[in-house]
Amino acid sequence: MFTYFGFEKEGHAHLDFGKSLNADSRVNWLIVCDQASYHLEILNATHYTTDIDIKEDSTYFFLVANCGLLPFNYHISGRFQNRGGEHLSTQYVPLPTFYSSISPVWFLIVLAFTFNWLQHRKQSVALHKLMWSLPLAKGLFCVYNAYYWRVFSRYGRLETWQTITYHVSYVIVQLLMYSVLFLVSKGWGVTRSNLSTSEKKSLVVCVTALSAASTLYQINGGYFLFALVIMYVIAMKYVFSGLEHNLRSLSRQRQFLVQRQHARSHTHN
């Protein structure tokens, strides 16, 4: 399969195809199909161009078939467009609006964190500062995503630096999110001030592996989903076991403070 694209009615596809000279033209086919119909063309030249008008809303699959015995090399490029000059596949059309809408929510959370910090600025807790940076990073990432998908929607292509920036920012957000999650599970900055050397190593390995699995799935999809699921299972076991331990510790500390408060009240009476 070459690719697939979600079209609306009156959309348009332009394909440019080239193949090696040793290919048997009688057994090379270009197949364009959706769930109900298909369009079949014989690729009988070394260079082939075709335009296809879309008749109804559907996801169309573009395939190149070789039914002969001889292998051949080919290159293919396409330009897909929906009504109104929309270059996004139908499943991605809502993304620019979605990210534009969700960005202010993250910045409101940042303001709430900032207001809380100003109220309790005398209590310097490192975990709070790290948690404050997470919604900020998420908000900036959503702003860039809104820009990223709007450019893609308008022009149908992206510059190399735009794609690299997207993936780098995605990795940074993932690293930060998983770091906060693991540190919270360990009670860092709440029930304890430091982590042991082994815990630090485990944290780095887990966060790096989980971020790598998320990034590879984001870029390539496919079988990387299995790696991501496995990493999630391992990570969640690690996180929830740590949370359970810290909740018990907090419960004991709370009971101690309550008993101490009762003892003081009885003494004053």
Side-chain angles (χ1 to χ4, degrees):
M1 184 173 66
F2 163 46
T3 190
Y4 65 93
F5 192 85
F7 281 101
E8 296 176 338
K9 186 179 180 180
E10 300 179 7
H12 183 78
H14 173 83
L15 295 172
D16 191 72
F17 181 88
K19 64 179 180 178
S20 56
L21 294 173
N22 65 328
D24 187 347
S25 62
R26 296 169 299 174
V27 291
N28 303 143
W29 308 81
L30 172 66
I31 305 171
V32 181
C33 61
D34 63 357
Q35 296 179 350
S37 62
Y38 69 91
H39 174 84
L40 183 66
E41 295 191 29
I42 301 175
L43 302 173
N44 55 7
T46 56
H47 186 267
Y48 188 83
T49 300
T50 184
D51 291 277
I52 302 171
D53 293 320
I54 305 302
K55 304 300 183 183
E56 60 183 35
D57 297 356
S58 186
T59 298
Y60 286 78
F61 297 86
F62 298 82
L63 307 96
V64 176
N66 178 25
C67 301
L69 299 177
L70 295 176
F72 71 99
N73 298 319
Y74 72 92
H75 63 85
I76 189 168
S77 61
R79 184 176 69 250
F80 306 138
Q81 193 170 349
N82 280 314
R83 287 176 297 183
E86 176 61 71
H87 289 87
L88 291 178
S89 181
T90 49
Q91 69 265 36
Y92 298 122
V93 169
L95 289 181
T97 303
F98 170 77
Y99 282 114
S100 298
S101 303
I102 204 69
S103 299
V105 176
W106 285 112
F107 289 118
L108 286 174
I109 295 174
V110 171
L111 288 176
F113 266 88
T114 304
F115 180 73
N116 180 71
W117 176 80
L118 289 173
Q119 281 188 313
H120 307 282
R121 56 185 176 275
K122 293 182 180 180
Q123 302 176 8
S124 180
V125 180
L127 182 60
H128 290 173
K129 297 175 183 177
L130 190 61
M131 291 178 68
W132 174 86
S133 66
L134 180 58
L136 178 63
K138 285 278 193 179
L140 293 174
F141 183 63
C142 287
V143 169
Y144 184 77
N145 266 272
Y147 161 77
Y148 176 91
W149 288 107
R150 286 192 188 281
V151 171
F152 211 151
S153 170
R154 181 174 297 180
Y155 302 108
R157 60 183 178 82
L158 294 163
E159 301 293 338
T160 303
W161 70 267
Q162 292 170 326
T163 304
I164 292 174
T165 302
Y166 171 81
H167 290 301
V168 169
S169 58
Y170 179 83
V171 171
I172 291 172
V173 170
Q174 293 296 305
L175 285 170
L176 187 57
M177 182 178 67
Y178 293 131
S179 296
V180 169
L181 187 62
F182 280 100
L183 288 172
V184 168
S185 72
K186 286 298 180 182
W188 178 72
V190 180
T191 60
R192 55 198 298 196
S193 58
N194 292 306
L195 299 178
S196 65
T197 303
S198 61
E199 286 177 325
K200 290 178 181 178
K201 290 180 180 179
S202 299
L203 175 67
V204 171
V205 170
C206 288
V207 168
T208 303
L210 196 52
S211 299
S214 298
T215 304
L216 289 171
Y217 176 67
Q218 175 78 8
I219 296 173
N220 298 309
Y223 292 110
F224 287 104
L225 175 62
F226 294 103
L228 181 59
V229 170
I230 292 171
M231 287 306 306
Y232 266 130
V233 171
I234 296 173
M236 290 304 103
K237 180 181 182 301
Y238 183 85
V239 167
F240 283 114
S241 62
L243 284 174
E244 183 182 5
H245 172 77
N246 284 293
L247 286 173
R248 286 199 300 265
S249 177
L250 285 172
S251 178
R252 287 194 298 267
Q253 292 178 18
R254 180 180 178 278
Q255 289 176 359
F256 172 76
L257 292 173
V258 169
Q259 291 172 0
R260 188 175 179 181
Q261 185 67 28
H262 283 315
R264 284 183 177 180
S265 62
H266 287 308
T267 302
H268 288 303
N269 292 335

